[in-house]
Amino acid sequence: MKHVLLLILSVALVSCAKAVRPDMSAILNDTPAANLSEYGLFEDAGARQPSQGVVKYDLINPLFSDHADKHRFLFVPDGHSAVYREDDVLDFPVGTVLVKTFAYDERYLETRLLIHKRDGWEALPYIWNETQTEAHYAPIGKRIEIAAGVAGSDVPAFTYAVPNKNQCKTCHQNGDEVHPIGPKVRNLNHQGPHGVNQISDWAERGLLTQLPEQVPVMARAFDPSETIDAQARAYLDINCAHCHKAAGSASNSGLWLDWEISDPVKWGVGKHPTAAGRGSGDALVVIEPGKPLASIMSFRVGSNEPGIAMPELGRALVHAEGAALIDAWIAQMDAVP
Amino acid sequence: MLRHVLVAGAAIAGLVACGPGEQNVDAGDPLAADATPQTMDAATLQALLISVEEGGVVELPEGTIELVDGLSLDVNSVTLRGAGQDKTILDFSGQSGAGEGLLITSDDVIVEGFTMRDTKGDGIKSKGADRITYRDLTVEWSGGPDESNGAYGVYPVESSDVLVERVTVRGASDAGIYVGQSDNIIVRDSLAEFNVAGIEIENSTRADVYNNTVTNNTGGVLVFDLPDLPKIGGHSTRVFGNQIFDNNTRNFAPPGNIVASVPSGTGIIVQANERVEIFDNTLTDNRTAHILLVAYAPEFTDERYNPLPRDIYITQNVYENGGYEPQGDLKMLAMLMGGDLPDIVSDGVNAWPGHEPVDLGLVIDEPETVSYVSLGLGAYPLDPKNLSPTDQRPVSALGERLPTVELSHDK
């Protein structure tokens, strides 16, 4: 009953107001809003039309998430801006909201918010209702059955997993804090959905300051004009390095897959596994140069079995294109004599 | 406090039952219920583990809870308590996500009184979880030794002050009780059986492993150090007062994992570690060798790493019927020496590429009735041509004994 009243109330608000503005009290509240609409991030109940000040963006290389379409938005509070950082995620001010909606075409599944609260980032999952009029706070996540063909013409039926709040943290962990993953400057530096370069656009909008002359660009993981090395390392960076880095959830593996790592052993060449268990697939090392079939990395990226599949969270399907890239990369490495 | 958490838990259970997506774990009518729920489903349990407040207790009712996903806990000072190992069963045989059954990432947590069964990956993992207690738990794979079982049963890693007591682990395809890259550790009064490694202390410092029963594993107790990990340089472990017998199960570890090289039939293995004391243990019927002291054999590039076991003190153990049927690489070496192996076997490796031979500092303070051999290999890779066995015990001075491990949360 209370829910229904709230819903009616929020619908009423949305329909009366001429221009919805993000609600800073909801954004900074210690308690997550029960409904996505309470943040005022979108003009409409279906979250198709961003409110004033909420900017759509995309990434050069996205994380693979079972072929879901992702709609990303940034909100930076009025009068504030993010500070440029070369290798890390941009330094977003308190009150920033990163919005990511996962969808198959027009069917929205979930919207994840990363909110920079006064004492750090918080990850908040919201799940869309059947009628697509509201998304409700869902800290324990959900499993959603996806019919064959929905995620792609040749994709069979599968179970899509909305992560729970702790699982959000598993991937977004940086030391003891929750941290965004995608919006690093090198991963944003291209022509975005507004048809202009996102970095200069954000600077012009006043969302980003202290921009240097030269801004690095990430290699496109599936652009054959890049070297295979650059493609594969770019793919690993966005799909694996959020855990496989010194301050990440998989730090204890000693397998560090961020773009900046230069020691081949650290990104797996000739490296023995630590806690792979049956995830080793009978291979002896993470990467056996020249031999994807003898490489644990190929085995785990190519599996969708729990306990074997990597990443552990965020996908139920194998990313065939990604697995093929990793295989091709390992295959062309010079074999150890 | 306890009662409040229970009340909140019951209220949440009611809300969650309305259907996924509609629950709000921050709400809850305290008048809705006032008792521990009689049954619990997986969603309710995970909701409780998210909503529980610091210092709270989450009680698991008697019975079996079927899980399709891994559980996780990220709130400090929480106790997760079942009705007993034989009463509360978390059944993961239908698990379809996550790399372990339960992941703990907060400090000062106690998990006790339940059974975890058939997780797809590891059983319970705690990472960066200081002052953790694992107590009165069973973690098992019900089909017995099998390559497809999860790697570790109980798996604290990158933590300080770790207590594991009265825990039973069965069937892990790597180590039953595994403590990795941690400092200040006690593993006691536990049972490890039918795992590849019963108890393993790896890349860790200051550990006491005592009063455990370790049987029917491939190898009983392992004290290892491996290269290329954030924390290396394992040292200061005491293995004492354990019953270590019949560790003759075939090695069912998937190849590639370090324990896949453990010969079936070993009681205690020290590999690449500094300052290890082995005393007052009873070692019986381990067919390859009761105690193995070995270097890390594969090639490595990590310049921080020392692959040798050094400053090892062995005294006052009871040895019965060991080394009668050596397995693995040691089988071939044993055949060259007449077939059997003595109670204590050192590989005699004392150097690695780029380094001069060193005195390993082995002190074998046992009666003459306890047999010993150094294989005298000098350096890896393993080459039977380099075999120069000697039963001459090394003469090294005994340094200061290690102090007892004390944990801040185990007073």
Side-chain angles (χ1 to χ4, degrees):
Chain A
M1 188 59 190
K2 194 173 160 191
H3 273 135
V4 175
L5 281 178
L6 264 178
L7 191 64
I8 291 170
L9 198 61
S10 51
V11 168
L13 276 172
V14 168
S15 50
C16 323
K18 287 231 162 64
V20 178
R21 300 296 311 254
D23 180 341
M24 288 313 297
S25 65
I27 289 170
L28 292 174
N29 196 337
D30 287 342
T31 306
N35 302 308
L36 180 65
S37 60
E38 293 170 41
Y39 295 100
L41 294 161
F42 295 94
E43 301 264 0
D44 58 322
R48 267 59 174 179
Q49 189 57 47
S51 302
Q52 194 181 331
V54 177
V55 180
K56 191 170 173 64
Y57 73 98
D58 64 15
L59 300 173
I60 293 177
N61 294 312
L63 169 75
F64 173 74
S65 306
D66 288 340
H67 304 290
D69 307 319
K70 297 181 191 176
H71 306 291
R72 296 178 186 78
F73 300 89
L74 166 71
F75 168 69
V76 175
D78 285 348
H80 298 267
S81 49
V83 176
Y84 178 87
R85 286 185 185 171
E86 180 159 311
D87 287 330
D88 205 346
V89 168
L90 298 173
D91 186 8
F92 292 105
V94 169
T96 296
V97 186
L98 294 163
V99 184
K100 182 154 70 160
T101 294
F102 293 68
Y104 291 112
D105 297 318
E106 284 305 301
R107 169 80 173 100
Y108 281 13
L109 301 175
E110 54 159 330
T111 295
R112 304 180 191 172
L113 302 184
L114 267 177
I115 302 182
H116 196 178
K117 305 264 186 181
R118 291 192 179 89
D119 53 357
W121 290 92
E122 193 165 1
L124 304 168
Y126 288 80
I127 296 178
W128 282 92
N129 61 12
E130 281 300 319
T131 48
Q132 302 275 284
T133 53
E134 185 59 278
H136 303 287
Y137 180 54
I140 66 164
K142 191 183 181 182
R143 289 187 169 270
I144 301 173
E145 298 304 327
I146 304 294
V150 170
S153 56
D154 54 350
V155 178
F158 70 100
T159 306
Y160 177 97
V162 179
N164 68 44
K165 198 161 182 290
N166 288 349
Q167 290 170 327
C168 294
K169 192 185 165 185
T170 301
C171 292
H172 283 277
Q173 184 192 339
N174 195 44
D176 283 338
E177 295 176 345
V178 167
H179 209 58
I181 298 167
K184 292 182 176 182
V185 70
R186 68 172 82 245
N187 203 17
L188 290 163
N189 187 10
H190 77 146
Q191 183 175 309
H194 296 287
V196 289
N197 179 283
Q198 291 183 137
I199 297 297
S200 33
D201 181 42
W202 287 13
E204 274 169 34
R205 290 172 188 258
L207 299 175
L208 178 59
T209 60
Q210 299 180 25
L211 217 57
E213 296 247 320
Q214 288 291 325
V215 178
V217 185
M218 195 59 151
R220 282 166 212 284
F222 296 103
D223 180 348
S225 72
E226 304 276 2
T227 67
I228 183 105
D229 202 52
Q231 287 182 63
R233 293 293 306 281
Y235 184 80
L236 295 173
D237 185 81
I238 196 65
N239 282 279
C240 314
H242 44 274
C243 289
H244 281 281
K245 64 179 178 181
S249 293
S251 58
N252 57 300
S253 66
L255 180 69
W256 295 345
L257 299 171
D258 20 345
W259 177 258
E260 293 84 3
I261 296 292
S262 56
D263 175 3
V265 176
K266 283 210 168 59
W267 39 262
V269 175
K271 185 182 186 308
H272 295 272
T274 312
R278 66 201 180 97
S280 76
D282 295 356
L284 302 182
V285 290
V286 179
I287 292 175
E288 178 72 53
K291 296 176 183 168
L293 287 174
S295 300
I296 295 171
M297 184 181 283
S298 284
F299 178 65
R300 302 192 84 164
V301 168
S303 169
N304 60 359
E305 208 181 319
I308 295 175
M310 283 285 165
E312 285 179 347
L313 299 172
R315 71 168 175 90
L317 303 171
V318 171
H319 186 203
E321 204 183 1
L325 173 62
I326 297 303
D327 287 352
W329 177 52
I330 294 173
Q332 58 80 50
M333 290 181 189
D334 288 337
V336 178
Chain B
M1 184 62 209
L2 172 59
R3 192 183 143 87
H4 272 133
V5 173
L6 288 178
V7 168
I12 288 163
L15 281 170
V16 169
C18 301
E22 303 296 329
Q23 66 274 27
N24 178 351
V25 299
D26 291 305
D29 178 2
L31 300 176
D34 62 356
T36 308
Q38 293 302 300
T39 60
M40 191 183 275
D41 65 15
T44 306
L45 174 52
Q46 182 59 68
L48 281 170
L49 293 178
I50 287 172
S51 65
V52 64
E53 305 226 342
E54 200 162 318
V57 178
V58 175
E59 300 264 9
L60 299 170
E62 212 173 306
T64 299
I65 304 175
E66 312 267 350
L67 294 112
V68 292
D69 235 323
L71 296 165
S72 52
L73 172 64
D74 188 39
V75 182
N76 289 337
S77 306
V78 166
T79 296
L80 174 58
R81 180 184 296 141
Q85 290 173 75
D86 53 343
K87 296 193 171 70
T88 300
I89 315 290
L90 304 187
D91 180 354
F92 289 84
S93 52
Q95 187 179 1
S96 59
E100 58 281 305
L102 169 61
L103 174 65
I104 300 162
T105 48
S106 47
D107 296 333
D108 301 292
V109 167
I110 298 172
V111 278
E112 61 184 3
F114 58 90
T115 286
M116 303 272 295
R117 189 171 290 161
D118 295 331
T119 56
K120 295 297 186 222
D122 304 312
I124 306 178
K125 177 178 179 180
S126 53
K127 180 171 182 287
D130 297 340
R131 296 171 302 282
I132 189 162
T133 302
Y134 292 87
R135 179 185 293 141
D136 297 322
L137 296 165
T138 295
V139 179
E140 63 183 359
W141 284 270
S142 56
D146 190 307
E147 282 77 352
S148 67
N149 292 350
Y152 300 138
V154 164
Y155 178 15
V157 65
E158 288 187 342
S159 303
S160 62
D161 290 57
V162 172
L163 175 59
V164 179
E165 62 179 356
R166 302 194 301 268
V167 164
T168 294
V169 181
R170 258 183 219 111
S173 70
D174 195 309
I177 297 169
Y178 171 95
V179 185
Q181 300 181 66
S182 293
D183 177 54
N184 225 31
I185 299 144
I186 291 177
V187 178
R188 66 187 175 206
D189 306 326
S190 292
L191 168 64
E193 59 180 0
F194 297 105
N195 309 288
V196 173
I199 298 171
E200 183 172 2
I201 307 294
E202 190 170 272
N203 291 57
S204 290
T205 49
R206 301 193 293 166
D208 275 358
V209 178
Y210 63 94
N211 205 26
N212 300 288
T213 300
V214 185
T215 183
N216 282 313
N217 305 285
T218 303
V221 178
L222 276 52
V223 183
F224 276 29
D225 200 57
L226 301 176
D228 299 321
L229 297 179
K231 174 169 172 148
I232 64 163
H235 66 78
S236 304
T237 288
R238 306 192 307 163
V239 179
F240 59 98
N242 301 288
Q243 302 291 318
I244 303 173
F245 56 96
D246 282 316
N247 289 292
N248 298 322
T249 294
R250 73 181 176 91
N251 192 322
F252 59 100
N257 297 282
I258 184 72
V259 296
S261 62
V262 170
S264 164
T266 40
I268 298 172
I269 308 178
V270 180
Q271 182 186 68
N273 231 272
E274 187 178 13
R275 297 200 74 191
V276 179
E277 296 182 3
I278 300 170
F279 57 95
D280 294 345
N281 300 287
T282 299
L283 294 139
T284 312
D285 298 324
N286 298 300
R287 62 178 165 167
T288 289
H290 285 319
I291 299 179
L292 259 183
L293 309 174
V294 292
Y296 177 77
E299 283 181 50
F300 63 91
T301 56
D302 190 335
E303 291 179 1
R304 305 168 299 163
Y305 185 66
N306 184 327
L308 308 178
R310 55 224 189 266
D311 299 337
I312 313 296
Y313 182 48
I314 302 176
T315 191
Q316 295 192 331
N317 300 287
V318 175
Y319 305 81
E320 285 173 28
N321 191 34
Y324 55 87
E325 194 185 11
Q327 303 290 307
D329 285 347
L330 288 169
K331 182 178 186 175
M332 168 194 65
L333 295 176
M335 275 164 56
L336 296 171
M337 300 186 305
D340 294 353
L341 284 175
D343 297 316
I344 304 170
V345 178
S346 160
D347 62 3
V349 172
N350 61 357
W352 71 99
H355 294 258
E356 293 298 311
V358 295
D359 174 9
L360 296 177
L362 307 185
V363 179
I364 316 284
D365 184 13
E366 299 282 22
E368 287 305 316
T369 50
V370 176
S371 54
Y372 167 82
V373 71
S374 165
L375 302 174
L377 290 168
Y380 279 121
L382 191 64
D383 183 349
K385 286 204 300 285
N386 295 337
L387 196 63
S388 64
T390 172
D391 60 2
Q392 196 71 42
R393 294 187 185 183
V395 184
S396 299
L398 176 62
E400 202 177 321
R401 295 291 298 270
L402 292 169
T404 300
V405 171
E406 292 183 5
L407 306 178
S408 59
H409 64 306
D410 176 46
K411 298 291 186 195

